[in-house]
Amino acid sequence: MGSLLVDRIGELVTNDGRNGDPLGVRRDAALLIEDGEVAWVGPARYAPAADRRIDAAGAAVLPGFVDSHAHLVFAGDRAAEFAARMAGEPYTGGGIRTTVGATRAASDGELRAAVGRLRAEMLRQGTTTVEIKSGYGLTVADEARSLRIAAEFTDDTTFLGAHVVPAEYADRPDDYVGLVCGPMLATAAPYARWIDVFCERGAFDADHARAILACGQAAGLGVRLHANQLGPGPGVQLGVELDAASVDHCTHLSDADVDALAGSATVATLLPGAEFSTRSPYPDARRLLDAGVTVALATDCNPGSSYTSSMPFCVALAVREMRMTPAEAVWAATAGGAAALRRTDVGRLTPGARADLVVLDAPTHLHLAYRPGVPLIRQVLHNGVPR
Ligand code: NIG
Ligand code: FE
């Protein structure tokens, strides 16, 4: 493969956390890549020789985005539901069953092509790591094939058999929880790294969620949780109790929820695309950050509540609507996402990290929020390979 030097970087975001600057910004920098990893970072004038060279010409370079929450395995869309919402209908999550029907009816090839399309769309927008959930199959066979297909695209696959109770179990939710903990988990676990539950009124309550997550843990899966999205609830504190890597949404939080997060290793992952797309009040990132909570940003890409694959869009929303600074939002979309996946090999550009990076068509990371909606991703390197 040989070595590759990314040279004349105007602003390099390393996320090395040195000198009290979480972004670890270096100016007039260069970065050497060997064997798909960052081998050296330093001032451009000391750049070592390399087999090949990319001239960043003064542009900003950031770690590739880490999108730690995405539901990419589905068929069809729900554009009409979105239109109805924009005309005043509320979002309830009830549309999930529509997507379950379409997903069950799709062939493996159709699902694989749909995931591939979204994964490529993400890569073009700078996302080099993505978590992918199941959750639109909700039978033993359909959850297993969703995860099998997801695993073709990422190591961070998440079993979300407990997304909603499917229509055929509507009057016997306990039986469905038994199915999820039993044969469904057994079939899904070989393809999954994580387990997730939609803990919300209308989906799964705290007792069901605790039981399902405990089974997942016993099967060797890490815990993550959809919590406190549509209203206050027990999800966030349940996640902290179970040492979840992340509790996601966190839109409706009590002071006790914030305190629990602040004293834990659980990341709060905020998904502003969902509030945008459901026309809901945004979570208050400032409150979490001021309390010392680790915050991540992710797209929640799915056909119902947030059909965006764009991390730059989420960064812009977080800055404009959630009281994050541009630096905090960029950190949350890179290092924060890595923390939410309990990974140390991505989300930073320091020696030993994977050479996943983005060259912006801009001199600084500030432009991601300052120039919303503009395609600022000039080049993406994934494992050191230009895409
Ligand atoms: O994270 N909240 C639950 N699941 C998804 C929405 C799924 C859907 O509406 O299809 C979410 O927002
Ligand atoms: Fe989600």
Side-chain angles (χ1 to χ4, degrees):
M1 224 166 130
S3 57
L4 170 62
L5 184 73
V6 185
D7 201 6
R8 297 212 304 148
I9 301 170
E11 179 194 271
L12 175 64
V13 172
T14 64
N15 288 341
D16 67 5
R18 291 190 326 166
N19 306 327
D21 167 21
L23 287 188
V25 168
R26 288 170 172 264
R27 312 221 177 260
D28 304 319
L31 179 148
L32 182 72
I33 298 168
E34 281 172 351
D35 300 324
E37 290 185 358
V38 178
W40 175 89
V41 171
R45 62 184 182 282
Y46 298 137
D51 300 324
R52 287 168 303 139
R53 180 171 173 271
I54 289 175
D55 182 2
V61 169
L62 332 179
F65 298 115
V66 179
D67 188 349
S68 60
H69 184 137
H71 308 247
L72 302 190
V73 192
F74 64 85
D77 72 30
R78 283 159 38 211
E81 182 190 310
F82 175 76
R85 268 202 310 276
M86 294 306 108
E89 290 295 316
Y91 174 78
T92 61
I96 294 172
R97 284 180 179 169
T98 306
T99 301
V100 168
T103 304
R104 287 177 181 175
S107 69
D108 289 10
E110 286 165 340
L111 287 180
R112 184 173 292 113
V115 178
R117 220 164 22 241
L118 287 169
R119 181 67 192 94
E121 196 177 281
M122 289 176 152
L123 199 56
R124 286 198 295 278
Q125 296 170 96
T127 298
T128 46
T129 301
V130 62
E131 178 257 22
I132 303 180
K133 301 174 194 300
S134 66
Y136 291 115
L138 309 189
T139 64
V140 173
D142 287 306
E143 284 298 297
R145 76 164 173 152
S146 295
L147 287 162
R148 210 168 50 234
I149 291 168
E152 295 172 18
F153 295 89
T154 185
D155 294 335
D156 281 295
T157 51
T158 300
F159 171 46
L160 180 58
H163 198 183
V164 287
V165 176
E168 63 276 18
Y169 281 89
D171 52 356
R172 40 192 186 112
D174 290 342
D175 290 355
Y176 186 65
V177 172
L179 179 73
V180 170
C181 288
M184 201 183 274
L185 173 64
T187 315
Y191 307 105
R193 176 165 183 230
W194 302 99
I195 185 161
D196 190 347
V197 173
F198 185 20
C199 182
E200 195 82 34
R201 196 184 297 274
F204 295 88
D205 65 18
D207 290 341
H208 280 157
R210 185 184 283 103
I212 293 163
L213 295 170
C215 296
Q217 271 177 325
L221 306 185
V223 169
R224 40 205 328 107
L225 203 54
H226 280 71
N228 303 53
Q229 174 186 7
L230 304 176
V236 162
Q237 293 192 51
L238 175 63
V240 170
E241 174 192 319
L242 297 175
D243 186 34
S246 176
V247 286
D248 298 33
H249 285 287
C250 294
T251 309
H252 299 271
L253 298 185
S254 67
D255 288 345
D257 294 332
V258 176
D259 289 348
L261 283 166
S264 79
T266 299
V267 173
T269 299
L270 309 183
L271 310 165
E275 279 75 35
F276 177 89
S277 208
T278 59
R279 195 174 271 151
S280 304
Y282 289 89
D284 186 352
R286 184 85 263 133
R287 183 179 173 211
L288 289 163
L289 290 163
D290 288 349
V293 176
T294 302
V295 172
L297 286 170
T299 62
D300 195 15
C301 183
N302 77 78
S305 65
S306 181
Y307 201 3
T308 182
S309 54
S310 171
M311 290 294 280
F313 176 61
C314 294
V315 166
L317 285 180
V319 170
R320 175 63 182 82
E321 305 288 348
M322 288 158 46
R323 301 202 291 152
M324 294 180 87
T325 65
E328 286 166 341
V330 166
W331 191 93
T334 52
L341 295 173
R342 297 210 165 151
R343 288 180 62 163
T344 55
D345 59 329
V346 296
R348 64 189 175 91
L349 290 173
T350 53
R354 260 171 52 181
D356 289 353
L357 62 85
V358 169
V359 183
L360 293 188
D361 240 328
T364 156
H365 68 279
L366 294 172
H367 281 222
L368 287 168
Y370 172 49
R371 307 200 65 214
V374 177
L376 292 180
I377 308 301
R378 182 191 295 169
Q379 189 164 27
V380 180
L381 269 66
H382 190 213
N383 292 316
V385 179
R387 296 307 179 118

